[in-house]
Amino acid sequence: FSLNLAADCNAVLKALQPIFQEQGMTETVHNWEDHGYLVTYIKKNGSFANLRIHPHGLVLVDLQSYNNDMKGREEVDQLLNKVEERMKELIHGNIKRVKRLPAILRGGVIDRYWPTADGRLVEYDIDEVVYDEDSPFQNIKILHSKQFGNILILSGDVNLAESDLAYTQAIMGSGKEDYTGKEVLILGGGDGGILYEIVKLKPKMVTMQTSNIDQMVIDGCKKHMRKTCGDVLDNLKGDCYQVLIEDCIPVLKRYAKEGRMFDYVINDLTAVPISTSPEEDSTWEFLRLILDLSMKVLKQDGKYFTQGICINLTDALTLYEEQLSRLYCPVEFSKETVCVPSYMELWVFYTIWKKQTDI
C-alpha cells in the first residue's frame, strides 16, 4: 500500500492485528522511533506473515506458506482480501496505490523463474522438464513452455525456444542476403537453428564450428528441439554442410593461415558481455579475439553477423561498438532491434563488414 500521507504506524498495527489473530498467529512487534514497525505473525503450521509499516506512507505485507492445493491458495487470497479491505476502511481514500503481486512458488519440481539479460525476473509458463544434464562445463536444460514450446537454457541463461525463429532470421541478416552458392561459417549455433535455415537456401558449403562443450547441447537439441533444428544435427556432415566439434579459436587461426575465406561469418557463440570493464573481463577479450580472427577469414565484400544483447543494456552495447574500432582492420556496422518471443525483451543484432578503402 502506498499512501498519500504519513502512516500512523500504531493505528495501522491495531487495525490489522485482529485479521492475523483470527488465523491463530503469534505476534512479535519490533519498532524503531524513526523507522516504523516490523511485525511478524507465525502460525503453528509454519506459515508466517511480515507486516512492515514505514512512517513515510508505505505498508508492506509478505505472506509465506506451504500450500500445494487450491484450498490453501484460496485461504491466502481471503486473508489478503481482508487486509486490503481493512486498510481502505482505515485510510479513508488516502491510498495512492495498492499492488498485489502474484505468489512466487519456491522449491517446485519445475523452475519457472528465469532472469532477463537486464536483471528482471520473468515467470515462464513451464510445465515440463524435458532434458536436464550437466556437462563438464555447464548445465543444459530443455524446458517445455505452453507458449514458446521447448526452451534451451544453458547455465541459467535462456538461449533459444522453438518459437524464436525471429532470432535465427535476424542473426542471418533478416532475409536480405542471398546465400545461394556461398561459403558460410557459423561459430557456435549448437541448437542447430541457423544451420537448418541456411541449408534451405542452397549455399555452396556451411561449416558450423561449434566447441567441445556443445556436444551435449547438440545431443539434447537433435532430440528435443526438432522444430528448431529439423534433421541437420542427426549427422555431422551433409551435402552442403559439416559440423566440427572443436575449439573454434585454433580452427579460425588455421583457416587464416591457410587463406580460407568465407562470404558470411555468423557468430552465435555468446552475447555481448554485461560487464562495463572490458579491460578486466576475459569474455570481452575472447570477443575481441573472435572478431579479429573472423575478419581475417571474411572476404573483402563479406558480412559478419552476430547478436548483441538486450536494448536496455546501453552501456554494454556502446562498449561493444567501441571494440569494433580496435580491430586489426577498419570496419563499419549497422544494427537492428528484434523482438525475440521467449526472451520477453527486445534484442540487438549487428551486421559488420570491412570498410572499403579507395585504391
Side-chain angles (χ1 to χ4, degrees):
F1 303 90
S2 180
L3 311 183
N4 286 320
L5 68 174
D8 182 334
C9 298
N10 195 49
V12 171
L13 173 60
K14 287 184 176 180
L16 298 182
Q17 268 176 336
I19 296 173
F20 295 103
Q21 289 171 351
E22 287 170 6
Q23 301 294 316
M25 291 178 142
T26 304
E27 177 187 85
T28 305
V29 180
H30 307 270
N31 65 77
W32 303 270
E33 186 175 342
D34 299 319
H35 301 288
Y37 287 19
L38 169 63
V39 190
T40 59
Y41 294 95
I42 301 174
K43 203 170 183 178
K44 288 182 179 180
N45 65 1
S47 300
F48 67 92
N50 289 325
L51 170 62
R52 184 69 171 95
I53 310 167
H54 295 272
H56 67 274
L58 182 64
V59 179
L60 306 174
V61 180
D62 294 309
L63 180 62
Q64 290 191 28
S65 62
Y66 182 77
N67 291 309
N68 57 1
D69 56 28
M70 286 304 297
K71 183 180 178 182
R73 294 178 189 179
E74 288 172 2
E75 289 174 356
V76 169
D77 284 338
Q78 289 170 6
L79 188 149
L80 294 175
N81 288 339
K82 289 179 180 179
V83 169
E84 186 172 331
E85 290 168 9
R86 188 69 190 94
M87 282 293 293
K88 288 177 178 177
E89 292 171 4
L90 176 69
I91 306 302
H92 298 302
N94 280 311
I95 297 178
K96 187 191 309 180
R97 185 171 68 253
V98 178
K99 181 68 174 180
R100 189 185 299 189
L101 300 176
I104 294 179
L105 308 177
R106 305 181 183 186
V109 176
I110 298 174
D111 189 354
R112 303 173 62 174
Y113 303 95
W114 300 95
T116 59
D118 59 352
R120 293 173 292 111
L121 188 63
V122 173
E123 180 178 1
Y124 286 82
D125 56 348
I126 303 296
D127 59 5
E128 183 184 357
V129 178
V130 176
Y131 181 87
D132 189 355
E133 298 289 342
D134 288 310
S135 78
F137 303 96
Q138 62 185 339
N139 174 258
I140 304 160
K141 283 185 175 67
I142 298 176
L143 308 178
H144 181 262
S145 157
K146 297 173 187 176
Q147 293 182 83
F148 306 122
N150 286 345
I151 305 175
L152 174 65
I153 298 175
L154 299 178
S155 296
D157 289 329
V158 174
N159 269 241
L160 196 74
E162 291 178 316
S163 64
D164 295 344
L165 182 59
Y167 175 99
T168 305
Q169 291 174 333
I171 206 169
M172 290 171 52
S174 294
K176 301 171 187 173
E177 305 299 321
D178 181 5
Y179 284 90
T180 307
K182 300 296 174 62
E183 291 272 1
V184 183
L185 176 63
I186 302 171
L187 305 176
D191 53 72
I194 299 170
L195 179 62
Y196 180 56
E197 295 301 323
I198 288 183
V199 165
K200 296 177 186 177
L201 304 177
K202 304 189 183 307
K204 180 180 179 182
M205 176 55 68
V206 183
T207 301
M208 189 170 104
Q209 176 58 61
T210 183
S211 60
N212 293 328
I213 66 172
D214 281 334
Q215 178 61 62
M216 290 182 68
V217 175
I218 289 175
D219 292 342
C221 289
K222 72 181 180 183
K223 185 174 181 181
H224 301 294
M225 298 279 289
R226 294 188 78 85
K227 289 182 182 177
T228 295
C229 66
D231 60 359
V232 294
L233 298 180
D234 292 351
N235 298 292
L236 298 184
K237 188 172 286 189
D239 293 338
C240 63
Y241 73 89
Q242 59 178 340
V243 178
L244 305 178
I245 303 176
E246 304 175 52
D247 186 352
C248 66
I249 290 177
V251 174
L252 281 170
K253 288 179 177 179
R254 186 174 75 239
Y255 287 167
K257 187 176 180 179
E258 295 170 352
R260 185 172 176 186
M261 305 295 281
F262 296 88
D263 297 286
Y264 296 99
V265 177
I266 301 175
N267 181 357
D268 193 36
L269 289 166
T270 180
V272 166
I274 295 174
S275 165
T276 54
S277 302
E279 300 306 326
E280 301 172 7
D281 192 309
S282 60
T283 311
W284 281 103
E285 225 172 88
F286 172 76
L287 183 147
R288 283 194 297 267
L289 177 59
I290 291 293
L291 272 165
D292 255 332
L293 290 172
S294 296
M295 291 302 116
K296 289 178 180 177
V297 302
L298 186 68
K299 291 181 181 179
Q300 189 61 38
D301 60 349
K303 289 183 180 178
Y304 174 95
F305 296 118
T306 190
Q307 61 168 315
I309 204 164
C310 86
I311 197 169
N312 287 343
L313 293 171
T314 54
D315 289 345
L317 290 167
T318 298
L319 281 169
Y320 178 76
E321 292 167 18
E322 288 176 4
Q323 307 312 305
L324 300 181
S325 65
R326 300 172 56 182
L327 303 182
Y328 86 95
C329 66
V331 300
E332 296 178 304
F333 70 90
S334 64
K335 58 186 175 181
E336 68 170 331
T337 301
V338 173
C339 179
V340 180
S342 76
Y343 289 12
M344 299 194 198
E345 54 189 334
L346 297 178
W347 211 252
V348 178
F349 293 83
Y350 285 92
T351 303
I352 302 165
W353 61 93
K354 294 177 180 178
K355 189 173 183 180
Q356 303 298 319
T357 55
D358 295 330
I359 299 176

